[in-house]
């Protein structure tokens, strides 16, 4: 699902009862933080990143499952 509203990302994940079998896709350190807090694997999209909200290399190295440009490159990742 694509979720957005005044709810926090962590609240969305809690309401959806996200489990370790789910994957969170995002493009910011707040997305990464929510996925880590919820114990989810995280796919980081870089194409439209904001330097202000993008995770540090350390955060990426420690917590990102897949780092990719966008959906197209993500799909190619699994087709190879």
């Amino acid at each position: 699902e694509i979720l957005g509203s005044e709810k926090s990302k962590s609240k969305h994940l809690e309401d959806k009862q996200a489990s370790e079998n789910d994957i969170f896709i995002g493009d910011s350190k707040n997305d990464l933080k929510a996925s880590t807090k919820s114990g989810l694997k995280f796919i980081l999209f870089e194409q439209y990143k904001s330097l202000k909200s993008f995770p540090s290399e350390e955060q990426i190295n420690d917590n990102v499952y897949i780092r990719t440009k966008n959906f197209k490159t993500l799909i190619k990742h699994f087709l190879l």
Side-chain angles (χ1 to χ4, degrees):
E1 283 184 62
I2 298 173
L3 305 170
S5 72
E6 287 78 35
K7 285 185 192 177
S8 71
K9 294 166 187 350
S10 294
K11 181 65 174 151
H12 275 299
L13 296 173
E14 180 184 319
D15 290 349
K16 292 294 178 183
Q17 298 178 342
S19 73
E20 62 187 27
N21 296 322
D22 296 314
I23 297 174
F24 190 112
I25 299 173
D27 64 356
S28 72
K29 58 186 166 190
N30 288 333
D31 294 339
L32 178 56
K33 182 179 177 181
S35 71
T36 303
K37 181 179 176 183
S38 299
L40 304 178
K41 290 181 179 172
F42 185 71
I43 297 176
L44 177 65
F45 280 6
E46 297 184 300
Q47 184 169 6
Y48 304 107
K49 70 182 177 185
S50 159
L51 295 179
K52 182 178 177 182
S53 66
F54 199 70
S56 69
E57 287 299 316
E58 182 179 348
Q59 292 169 316
I60 292 168
N61 292 336
D62 291 345
N63 299 294
V64 172
Y65 177 59
I66 296 173
R67 182 179 184 172
T68 190
K69 185 175 178 180
N70 54 37
F71 274 110
K72 185 177 180 180
T73 58
L74 177 64
I75 291 167
K76 285 182 181 180
H77 175 85
F78 286 104
L79 295 178
L80 296 177

